[in-house]
Structures are given as C-alpha cells and as structure tokens.
Amino acid sequence: MSWSALLDQMRVREVLGGQKSHTVSGESRTEYERDRDRSVYSSPIRRLMGKTQVFPLDPNDLVRTRLVHSLEVSTVAEGLAAQVTRDVITKKERLDDAQQRAISKIAETCGLLHDIGNPPFGHAGELAIGSWFTEREAGQNQIEKLGGKTTQAGLDFLLFEGNAQTFRTLTNTRLLAHDHGLNLTCATGAAVRKYLAASNQADPKSEIHEHTKPGFFRSEAEIVGKICARTSTTGRRHPITYLVEAADDIVYCVVDIEDGLKKRLLTWPLVLKFLQDRCSSSLVFKEVIEGANRQMKGVPEESQLWPSEYPQAFRVNAISAMVRAVVDVFDLRYDNIMLGDYHNELVRDEKCAASSFVAACKDLLRESVFRSQGVLRLEVRGRKVIHDLMDLFWEGVSSYLKDRKRQTRSYGGKLYLLISENYRHLFEQRLLLKEEDETYCGLQLVTDYISGMTDAYACGLHPDLTNG
C-alpha cells in the first residue's frame, strides 16, 4: 500500500458515478477537514449523546455516554496518529506536510465516527436485533425468504453488527440531501472499516482479527469494492484503522474503570489489587502507578478529594503510557501493516509493552462492571424494547410492501408512517429501482430506524405504542 492511494480524496458519490462535491470559492479547509466537520454536525453524532457506553439510561451526568466516549477516542486517535506520523512514518516514507496532517485528521474523524452504527443499549442492542430473527416468528419467516441462515442476506441480520451499520450509515443512507450518507472521502471511508469480511465469511474463531466479525452488509458491497480499489486496501486494513482501534481500546479500558468507581461498583483498593495480581510485572503498570502517585503526592489519602482525583491521575498516566507503547509496536510492525500482512490488534501484540496491562483492565471490567446487576437488568429490558419495536415496524413495512401506498386505513399503514421520513424515502427509492430483494430492503428500513434511536427514545416509544 502507498500513502498516495491511502489518502485518496475522491468522495463516495463521485466514485459511484455521481456528482462531484462542490467546493465554494475561498474554501480553506482540506478534504479531510471537511470530513471531520461534516461528522461533527451530523445527526448520528448528536444521537450518541443519548446512547449507552456502559450504563444504559444512567441519571448520573458524570458517567460517560457514547458521545463522550467517541470524543475521547477521537482525541487520543488524533494525538496517536500525529505521534506515529512524526516518529515512525516520516522516517520510512516521503510525505509532504499536507499528507502528514491528513493522517491525524482522518484518525480524529474515524475516532469520532467509529460507534455511530451501534443501536440503543450498546452491544446488547446488537444482540437484540440479531436475536429477533431467531426468536420471533416474523423474523424467522423473513430469514427463510432471504434464502436461509447461510446466505449473506440472511446473516446480515442474524449477525447484525454495529461496525457494518456504521459503514452503511456513512455511505448509503440519507443524511445530506442525498443518499450517500456523509459523502466522505475514500480515505476516511476505508479507514473507518474495522472489520473486512462479509457476514457469510466472518468467523469469530479466525486467526485473522479483521475477519472475526462482519464488516459490511450486502447492500454496501459495491461501495466497499470501489473504495478499496481507490485506496489500495482490497482485502487489507487501512493503516490508520489500527491506530483508531488502539485508541478505542486505550480509552475504554481505563475510563470505564473510572466510571465503575463513580458508580461504586469498584473501589480503588479492589482495582489496585486486581491489576497487581494480573500484571504486576508489567513495566507499563509500574509506570502508571508511579506516575499517578507522583501526581497525587500533595493530596493525602484521607482527603475527600483523593477518591475522585486519584482515578483521574491513573487515567491520565495510563493513556500516556499506552499511547507510547502503541507507537513502538506500530513502528515494529510497520512493514507488515503496509503489506497487508498484519492481522492482530496493536494493544494485543506480544511485543506491545502495554498488552498485559490492557488485558488486565478489560478482565476487571468484564468481571466487575459489565456483569453488574444494574447493567444486566437494563440490557434485558433493552432486548424486550427492541424486539417489540421490530415486531411493530416490520408490520408497518409489510403493509407498505403489499400495495406500495402510504395510507392510514390499517394499523400497518399507520406504523409505516411513524418511521422517519428520511429512512422511508431511501427505502422507497430502492424499491423503485427494482435492483434488490424487497424483503431485504424492508428489513434494512427497520434496522436502520431502530439502530438510529437513542436509548431514551426507544424506551419512550415502546410504551407509547404498546400501552406498556
């Protein structure tokens, strides 16, 4: 792969044969800065404010939402990419100043966008959408119509994946008065793709990390192919993707601990003992604790400030140490990454100095935070909400498919008209083209609409429609 292709500036609409994006006279922003700005002002980003990071529908405004998480990932991704560009890439490649700035800007944008495809209730929401197709009769029937459980069309829904929905939202939905999402550059479109496999090729047991989950739906296969051809990433990850993925891991493995402490699911002595037991030999762990202790030197442990300030010092020092470890391993694996031969995560690489520390933090979260009673209860509630909404809106879509008319004479017609107009417009345009299976298009209308909802909106709509 070459950076000249990896930083391709052509936009999705033009790649698909559409109109070139208009640039006003005097525009000073680069194409990558325009990608970032489009993202910041987009409705999917605003909705992240009401979506779960770890704690669904939490009343505590100090606990992170998916939007706060995405802003933090974006910040770390931008800084990490800038450091990698300065300390690694420019020592191996000839890049001009504009190309160097582009790398960090793309990473910043992808960090902001990486979770926009996640439905309400986080990863539990993904499972809820997929399980509707196995547990509810209406869902089972539609999978049969799509050819069964082994076809890509069927598996797109059975294995519903937020990362694939992110790519769809960004490239093939109606966001900016056209049907090409945010109409991003090919460079950003390629870098935002964390997973590469189609749903019927993904294997959770694969040794190739980027093939363990579906990365795109059948509806976006053409777009994926054209973006990959432009950026020389066919069958390969974009190098920036590794950095954004690492930034996501770096952020959530420490800030979710910080939130767990705020929720009193964890105590600092428990956290410290757990990490000591799991990674006491880690130089990164030792550096983080020494740095936090040094930063808190003037604050006595009995102070009322200590319980809130020490976790912050821990987080600051942990992110700094992990970023430096990732820079080192990116340098070590650079040639393999550029050849498309690197199939691991940077933070899990055996040569990454932070790998045992990251693994210990994630184990702590799985054992003491993600399995807490409050989180589990709300995730179960979310499953019920999503299943019932899927039932209702599939009834509405089925009603429209019978006669292709918008009407209010039947309850199905009323339900169809409750779906947002921008989603319905795209669906009806797809039907007019007669190029795709109508059942597949109808199911995507339902999953597009529901995955775009915030937690609170879904929970509020559910009793409104079910008299719950």
Side-chain angles (χ1 to χ4, degrees):
M1 292 182 283
S2 68
W3 282 104
S4 58
L6 290 167
L7 300 176
D8 187 78
Q9 298 184 47
M10 185 177 285
R11 296 190 175 275
V12 168
R13 184 173 60 196
E14 186 179 0
V15 166
L16 294 174
Q19 182 181 2
K20 184 176 181 180
S21 183
H22 176 68
T23 304
V24 299
S25 177
E27 174 65 79
S28 61
R29 296 174 299 167
T30 67
E31 294 301 317
Y32 316 108
E33 289 170 337
R34 293 176 70 193
D35 279 351
R36 188 272 318 276
D37 292 352
R38 290 179 181 199
S39 303
V40 168
Y41 288 100
S42 69
S43 55
I45 289 294
R46 289 196 300 276
R47 292 193 193 109
L48 292 177
M49 181 171 59
K51 290 194 175 188
T52 294
Q53 172 57 17
V54 175
F55 303 102
L57 302 170
D58 197 273
N60 186 345
D61 60 3
L62 294 177
V63 170
R64 288 165 172 84
T65 64
R66 189 69 66 168
L67 176 59
V68 174
H69 166 74
S70 297
L71 290 169
E72 291 174 335
V73 172
S74 178
T75 299
V76 172
E78 189 276 335
L80 174 58
Q83 191 170 339
V84 162
T85 302
R86 181 185 68 242
D87 296 344
V88 179
I89 299 175
T90 55
K91 294 181 179 178
K92 302 174 185 289
E93 313 273 7
R94 288 187 176 182
L95 300 182
D96 59 33
D97 290 344
Q99 288 174 313
Q100 292 178 41
R101 292 193 300 271
I103 293 172
S104 60
K105 189 56 61 179
I106 292 169
E108 177 188 356
T109 302
C110 290
L112 186 63
L113 293 170
H114 79 283
D115 272 347
I116 65 166
N118 279 14
F121 314 107
H123 296 299
E126 291 176 306
L127 295 174
I129 289 176
S131 65
W132 183 80
F133 293 94
T134 60
E135 297 177 15
R136 296 286 176 102
E137 184 177 359
Q140 295 168 1
N141 292 340
Q142 304 324 307
I143 294 299
E144 290 304 313
K145 285 185 180 180
L146 294 176
K149 298 179 180 181
T150 60
T151 64
Q152 184 181 0
L155 288 168
D156 279 355
F157 300 104
L158 289 165
L159 303 178
F160 183 84
E161 169 58 42
N163 288 284
Q165 184 66 26
T166 291
F167 187 78
R168 171 169 170 75
T169 301
L170 292 174
T171 61
N172 205 17
T173 57
R174 190 171 182 84
L175 295 177
L176 294 176
H178 55 67
D179 299 337
H180 303 288
L182 292 181
N183 193 26
L184 300 170
T185 61
C186 287
T188 302
V192 82
R193 295 185 61 227
K194 183 176 180 179
Y195 298 103
L196 306 184
S199 59
N200 60 334
Q201 298 171 333
D203 179 4
K205 298 180 181 179
S206 175
E207 295 182 358
I208 300 176
H209 170 61
E210 58 270 31
H211 291 171
T212 55
K213 292 182 179 182
F216 63 95
F217 299 130
R218 188 181 71 175
S219 50
E220 283 69 62
E222 179 187 4
I223 303 173
V224 167
K226 290 184 179 295
I227 287 177
C228 288
R230 292 285 310 181
T231 55
S232 70
T233 56
T234 301
R236 305 167 176 175
R237 267 180 153 194
H238 196 295
I240 295 174
T241 307
Y242 293 95
L243 301 176
V244 178
E245 178 181 58
D248 188 19
D249 284 327
I250 287 169
V251 169
Y252 96 74
C253 80
V254 290
V255 303
D256 288 357
I257 290 176
E258 188 178 4
D259 282 354
L261 288 163
K262 291 173 185 173
K263 293 286 291 182
R264 298 185 180 180
L265 298 172
L266 299 170
T267 63
W268 182 248
L270 183 152
V271 172
L272 185 58
K273 183 179 186 308
F274 189 97
L275 297 180
Q276 285 175 333
D277 291 344
R278 298 294 180 97
C279 62
S280 59
S281 61
S282 167
L283 294 178
V284 166
F285 171 67
K286 293 176 182 177
E287 178 186 337
V288 169
I289 297 303
E290 289 173 1
N293 288 341
R294 187 168 53 251
Q295 191 169 329
M296 293 291 293
K297 190 174 182 180
V299 182
E301 287 192 32
E302 60 272 16
S303 166
Q304 291 185 351
L305 296 174
W306 198 93
S308 62
E309 292 188 352
Y310 193 94
Q312 295 177 36
F314 172 79
R315 181 239 306 157
V316 168
N317 285 275
I319 290 176
S320 175
M322 287 188 285
V323 164
R324 281 181 274 115
V326 168
V327 171
D328 290 342
V329 77
F330 189 91
D331 187 11
L332 180 66
R333 306 300 190 192
Y334 182 80
D335 290 342
N336 296 107
I337 288 171
M338 294 301 288
L339 289 170
D341 292 337
Y342 185 71
H343 305 300
N344 201 352
E345 300 173 73
L346 294 173
V347 297
R348 296 183 65 181
D349 193 296
E350 62 180 9
K351 297 294 185 180
C352 179
S355 60
S356 62
F357 175 73
V358 172
C361 289
K362 290 183 177 182
D363 287 344
L364 173 63
L365 290 167
R366 276 191 292 269
E367 293 182 21
S368 301
V369 176
F370 300 159
R371 297 175 184 173
S372 68
Q373 291 294 304
V375 170
L376 295 177
R377 281 197 298 269
L378 284 166
E379 288 180 345
V380 170
R381 176 188 175 189
R383 173 177 170 275
K384 170 67 173 173
V385 167
I386 287 178
H387 277 195
D388 287 352
L389 292 179
M390 294 278 289
D391 279 340
L392 290 166
F393 289 116
W394 177 247
E395 180 185 347
V397 172
S398 298
S399 175
Y400 181 82
L401 287 173
K402 289 177 182 177
D403 56 16
R404 307 291 175 91
K405 293 181 180 179
R406 298 184 178 190
Q407 48 86 13
T408 57
R409 293 189 303 275
S410 68
Y411 283 106
K414 298 176 196 294
L415 285 164
Y416 180 73
L417 292 175
L418 286 175
I419 298 173
S420 297
E421 171 66 27
N422 60 321
Y423 293 113
R424 284 189 281 118
H425 169 84
L426 177 61
F427 166 65
E428 292 170 14
Q429 292 299 308
R430 293 172 75 183
L431 294 182
L432 289 174
L433 291 174
K434 298 182 179 180
E435 295 176 351
E436 300 175 88
D437 182 277
E438 65 176 31
T439 298
Y440 185 89
C441 294
L443 290 171
Q444 277 199 321
L445 169 59
V446 176
T447 55
D448 283 348
Y449 183 44
I450 290 178
S451 65
M453 294 179 182
T454 64
D455 298 14
Y457 183 80
C459 285
L461 185 62
H462 181 258
D464 281 351
L465 299 182
T466 63
N467 196 29

